[in-house]
Amino acid sequence: MLGPMPPRRTDRAVAEAAPLETAQAATGARGSGSQDPLVGELRRAGLLPLLVLHFLHEQPSYGGRLMERVGEVSGGLIAVNPNTMYPLLRELEAQGLVAGEWEHPERRSRRFYRLTDAGEAERRRLAGDLAPRLDAVAASLDLIRRELRL
């Protein structure tokens, strides 16, 4: 019978590493999502939920189409994958901001979401909160363009 295996170098390194929160604090990283200064702050402020609620204000939709719309509207600047979109939709549904139903209730298919009255109120609130930040980003980009004479 063999005895316990000696610890590997990587096991030792992991055990000695700082917790994720400590490492993020040391580097100035805040939370999840993009660390890109142009997009990261807007994402943390609620840009993705605002975009989803806005698109659902226009018409009911499903997760895949919502991901496409985010990419289209942001010119590809904001990329959203299913691991981000579907938990967000479940969270919005749990909060009563959207209501979802299966396209074909007798079998699992696409789940279509529509905006609720509470979701419309949240959409307006988020839009008001984010408008000054979007204006600041736009002004900063305009200054850069003027400086570079573009």
Side-chain angles (χ1 to χ4, degrees):
M1 185 168 189
L2 295 174
M5 293 183 66
R8 296 181 309 193
R9 251 185 23 219
T10 54
D11 292 337
R12 209 172 23 254
V14 168
E16 294 170 0
L20 178 60
E21 295 80 18
T22 304
Q24 286 177 329
T27 62
R30 299 185 327 214
S32 62
S34 173
Q35 296 304 315
D36 179 346
L38 289 176
V39 178
E41 184 64 31
L42 292 171
R43 281 187 83 130
R44 286 185 291 278
L47 180 60
L48 185 56
L50 173 58
L51 287 171
V52 168
L53 295 173
H54 169 75
F55 298 143
L56 295 177
H57 171 78
E58 294 175 341
Q59 66 185 36
S61 192
Y62 58 97
R65 181 64 184 132
L66 292 167
M67 287 185 286
E68 290 171 3
R69 290 280 291 136
V70 169
E72 290 167 3
V73 165
S74 71
L77 190 61
I78 301 171
V80 181
N81 64 46
N83 293 328
T84 301
M85 181 57 70
Y86 292 107
L88 173 60
L89 287 169
R90 286 191 295 273
E91 180 182 332
L92 294 173
E93 190 171 18
Q95 293 173 359
L97 303 178
V98 302
E101 57 186 55
W102 295 106
E103 182 178 27
H104 301 287
E106 66 279 358
R107 69 181 199 284
R108 272 189 88 147
S109 55
R110 289 190 296 199
R111 189 163 178 81
F112 275 81
Y113 295 88
R114 64 174 175 76
L115 194 63
T116 64
D117 290 342
E120 174 58 24
E122 179 65 0
R123 183 188 72 81
R124 286 192 306 268
R125 185 193 72 75
L126 282 171
D129 287 354
L130 278 163
R133 294 174 190 220
L134 290 169
D135 291 342
V137 169
S140 295
L141 292 173
D142 188 51
L143 286 172
I144 292 168
R145 289 183 61 83
R146 281 189 284 159
E147 177 64 29
L148 298 173
R149 292 176 181 88
L150 298 175

